[in-house]
Amino acid sequence: MGSLPDLHALTRDDTGQPCCRPGSHLPRCSHLPVKRLASASPGSDREASISSVKKLIAVVRSTPSSMGPSYSRQLLCRNLAALCLGHAISTAAFSPLLALHGSSASYLLAMLFSVAALSSAASPFILRNQSVERRMIIAYFCQCLFFAAHFYPTMYLLIPAYFLMGLTLGPLSAARVSLLMTLASKLYADEDDHVAGQRVALVQRLLRSLRAAHDVGLIAGNAFASFVLYKNAGLIPKPTVPPDLSGCGSAACPDTSMPSLHEFNQLPCGIDYILIGVCLGCCVTAAVLTGVTINRIEPTVTAADKQLDAFKRLRQAFVDPRLRLAAPMSLFVGLEQGFMYSDFTESYVLCSLSMDNVGMVFFSLAILQAIAGFTLSMLLQHVKRYMVIGMGFAFHACLLMVLVIWKPAGDDPALIYVIAAAWGVCNAVWDTLSFGLMMSSYHDSWQGPVAHSYIFRYSGLALAFVFHGLLCNETKLYCLAVALVLCVAPYTWLEMKEVRHRNQR
C-alpha cells in the first residue's frame, strides 16, 4: 500500500485550522459553539465517523504504492483484449507457412527456431531495457519483412529474413507473457478482497485467454489457407506417388527416390502470393493494433526484482530442480510439433491426399486443439492431474504406434484427419499442463522460467526440422516414443512434488 497518509491532516477543517485541541478527549472545534456540540445526536457522530473513514480511504488510495501506478479496470481489460487479438492475428499469419512449407523449407525453419532459442535466452536482457509494447511492435514489423521476402524467394533474401524472424520470436513470446503478468498484477491489486490462491487463479484465467487466442489464430489461418487451396485446386499439381507406397508413411527416408513430393511441395506463384499477401497484411494489422490500443503500463517491481539482474534470473532457472524436471516436456512439445509440420505433411498427407488438403488437415488439428484446451482447463478444477497425464500419455503412444504401422493410401483419407485431430488433443494436454503449472508456480519470478521453457521448446522445433532431412520416419517415430517416456516420467514426479508442497503449505 505504500506509506500511510498524514492523519493530522484529516483533523483539519477546510480552512486548514485544527478541529481538535491536542490532549482533548472530546472534539471541540474552534469555529463551532460548544452548545451545538453538546446537542449533537449519536446519528450525527456516526455520519461524521463514516465521512472520516471515507476520507481516509480516499487518501490511502491516492498515495503512491509499491505496486506501481494504478489503472482502471476498463483500460486493463482493453489491453488484454488487444494483446490476445494481436497474438491471434500473428499466429494466423505464421501457421499456414509452417503447414505448407514445413518440409520444403525445413533447414531454413531449423535455422529460424535455433536463433529463436538463442533469442529466448536473451529475452530477459532485452525486456529489461525496452518497453513491452515497443518490443511487440518491432517484432510485428520484422514479421512483415519476413513475409515480404517470400515475394522474391531467393536465398539472399530468405536466409536473412528467417534469421531476423528467429531473433524477434523469442523476445516477442516473452513480451506477451510479460504484459500478461503485468495485467494480472494490476487486476489483482484492483480487487477489494484478497483471498488465498486468488492471484494464481487470476493468472490461470488470463493464460487461458492467451492460449485461446493462439488456438483461434491457428483455426483462422488454416481455414483461410484451406479455402484458397480449395478454390485453386485445379492449378495445384498432384504429387506422383509410387504404386507400392514405398516412400510413404514410416517407410519414408530422406534418400528415397521421390522427387515429385519435394518438387510439388511449393505452390504455384499465384496461390503463394495470395497467401503471403494476406499474411503480410495480418502482421501489419497486428503492429498497428498494438501501437494504437496497448498502453504503456508500468510493471510491478518487487524487492526481489530489484536485487536480481537478468543473468541471475536465467542462471537460477537452469539450476532450479523443478525446471529441470519440466525441461524434457518443453523439448518434447517442440519435437512433436515439428514432426507434424514437416514429416507428417510430406509422408502422410501428400501420399494419401494432395497439397490442397494440407490446410484442411491442420484446420482439423486446430479445431480439436482449441476444444480440448478449453475443456481441459475447466476439467482440471475437478479431476486429478495424474489422470490427465496418464490419458495423454496413452493417447499419444497409440498415435505413434498407428503412424509406425499404418501406410497411408488414397482410399481412406478420413484417417488422416482423425490422426491430425487426435494429435491436436495431445498438444492441448501437454501445453495446458506444462505451461500452466510453470506460471502458477513462478507467478512472482516468471522471467527466468519463461525464457527457460521457450529455449527448450524452440530447440525441439529446430531439432525436428533438422532431422527431417537426416533420419527415416520410422527412426524418428521411435525416437518420439522414447522422448515421450523420458518427458512424462520426470514431469509426473514434478506434479507429485507440487501436490505435496501445496498440501504442506
Side-chain angles (χ1 to χ4, degrees):
M1 294 291 294
S3 58
L4 291 175
D6 186 7
L7 297 180
H8 293 287
L10 300 178
T11 62
R12 301 179 184 274
D13 58 9
D14 296 336
T15 62
Q17 299 298 324
C19 293
C20 304
R21 293 201 307 264
S24 175
H25 298 287
L26 295 176
R28 293 185 57 188
C29 297
S30 59
H31 63 284
L32 294 176
V34 178
K35 292 182 180 180
R36 185 174 180 180
L37 287 174
S39 61
S41 63
S44 62
D45 292 340
R46 189 180 301 108
E47 293 178 359
S49 300
I50 294 174
S51 177
S52 299
V53 171
K54 289 182 177 179
K55 190 173 183 180
L56 175 62
I57 293 174
V59 173
V60 169
R61 287 184 172 179
S62 63
T63 305
S65 170
S66 60
M67 298 292 290
S70 59
Y71 301 90
S72 66
R73 193 175 186 86
Q74 181 181 6
L75 184 141
L76 296 175
C77 293
R78 186 183 68 188
N79 279 265
L80 176 63
L83 170 66
C84 293
L85 184 58
H87 183 33
I89 294 174
S90 175
T91 305
F94 194 53
S95 58
L97 182 137
L98 285 176
L100 298 172
H101 297 274
S103 57
S104 61
S106 59
Y107 288 114
L108 287 174
L109 289 171
M111 180 189 68
L112 186 153
F113 287 110
S114 299
V115 177
L118 296 176
S119 64
S120 297
S123 59
F125 304 89
I126 297 174
L127 294 179
R128 191 177 183 90
N129 301 318
Q130 196 174 60
S131 62
V132 171
E133 68 279 0
R134 183 178 298 176
R135 177 68 259 172
M136 293 172 64
I137 294 172
I138 293 175
Y140 288 141
F141 274 117
C142 289
Q143 288 185 3
C144 296
L145 297 177
F146 170 77
F147 285 106
H150 287 77
F151 283 111
Y152 304 97
T154 61
M155 285 300 172
Y156 297 104
L157 293 178
L158 291 180
I159 291 178
Y162 277 75
F163 187 85
L164 181 64
M165 183 71 175
L167 282 179
T168 60
L169 194 58
L172 175 61
S173 302
R176 288 169 178 155
V177 179
S178 177
L179 180 57
L180 187 78
M181 299 303 292
T182 300
L183 293 174
S185 64
K186 300 301 180 182
L187 289 171
Y188 175 76
D190 188 58
E191 297 288 342
D192 293 332
D193 298 324
H194 292 164
V195 297
Q198 184 183 29
R199 184 177 180 183
V200 175
L202 180 60
V203 170
Q204 293 289 353
R205 288 199 299 269
L206 297 189
L207 281 175
R208 285 198 295 267
S209 302
L210 193 64
R211 179 65 192 172
H214 177 79
D215 293 335
V216 169
L218 287 177
I219 294 172
N222 288 294
F224 174 75
S226 177
F227 174 77
V228 173
L229 294 176
Y230 175 77
K231 289 296 184 181
N232 299 275
L235 302 177
I236 302 175
K238 304 297 181 182
T240 56
V241 181
D244 57 352
L245 302 177
S246 58
C248 296
S250 60
C253 289
D255 57 348
T256 187
S257 57
M258 289 188 62
S260 57
L261 289 180
H262 297 279
E263 179 183 354
F264 295 120
N265 203 26
Q266 295 287 349
L267 294 173
C269 294
I271 303 175
D272 218 7
Y273 287 167
I274 293 174
L275 293 173
I276 293 171
V278 173
C279 293
L280 178 60
C282 288
C283 293
V284 174
T285 304
V288 173
L289 177 68
T290 302
V292 172
T293 309
I294 294 183
N295 305 91
R296 182 168 186 175
I297 300 177
E298 294 295 332
T300 301
V301 180
T302 62
D305 293 332
K306 296 178 181 179
Q307 294 176 1
L308 289 177
D309 58 11
F311 177 75
K312 289 182 179 179
R313 294 179 195 276
L314 192 60
R315 185 179 62 183
Q316 286 185 355
F318 274 93
V319 299
D320 192 327
R322 291 183 295 175
L323 291 178
R324 287 179 177 177
L325 294 175
M329 179 61 74
S330 299
L331 184 67
F332 174 76
V333 170
L335 285 172
E336 53 96 3
Q337 290 181 355
F339 174 83
M340 290 296 288
Y341 283 121
S342 58
D343 302 289
F344 181 78
T345 300
E346 182 180 68
S347 303
Y348 290 88
V349 179
L350 294 182
C351 278
S352 58
L353 304 174
S354 59
M355 194 66 184
D356 53 294
N357 295 101
V358 173
M360 185 59 68
V361 169
F362 281 92
F363 174 76
S364 63
L365 183 149
I367 285 287
L368 265 294
Q369 180 172 312
I371 296 175
F374 177 79
T375 306
L376 185 61
S377 61
M378 301 291 105
L379 190 66
L380 286 175
Q381 302 176 8
H382 309 283
V383 178
K384 293 185 179 296
R385 298 172 71 94
Y386 307 122
M387 297 178 60
V388 178
I389 295 173
M391 292 174 59
F393 175 78
F395 209 40
H396 214 148
C398 291
L399 284 176
L400 292 174
M401 183 177 64
V402 169
L403 291 180
V404 170
I405 298 174
W406 176 69
K407 278 191 175 183
D411 55 351
D412 53 353
L415 189 57
I416 290 291
Y417 295 94
V418 174
I419 293 175
W423 203 283
V425 175
C426 295
N427 276 338
V429 170
W430 305 133
D431 271 344
T432 304
L433 286 174
S434 59
F435 206 74
L437 178 65
M438 183 190 65
M439 295 307 298
S440 61
S441 302
Y442 296 93
H443 56 84
D444 286 327
S445 56
W446 52 267
Q447 292 88 349
V450 167
H452 182 272
S453 175
Y454 280 113
I455 287 172
F456 283 93
R457 179 169 300 200
Y458 291 144
S459 298
L461 282 163
L463 288 174
F465 285 113
V466 168
F467 290 154
H468 171 71
L470 298 178
L471 299 176
C472 296
N473 283 351
E474 186 175 10
T475 304
K476 282 180 277 193
L477 288 170
Y478 285 129
C479 290
L480 282 177
V482 174
L484 177 63
V485 176
L486 294 180
C487 79
V488 170
Y491 183 78
T492 305
W493 176 247
L494 174 62
E495 289 279 1
M496 295 172 62
K497 291 180 62 176
E498 290 298 315
V499 169
R500 287 199 300 266
H501 177 70
R502 285 195 295 266
N503 292 337
Q504 293 174 359
R505 187 173 56 187

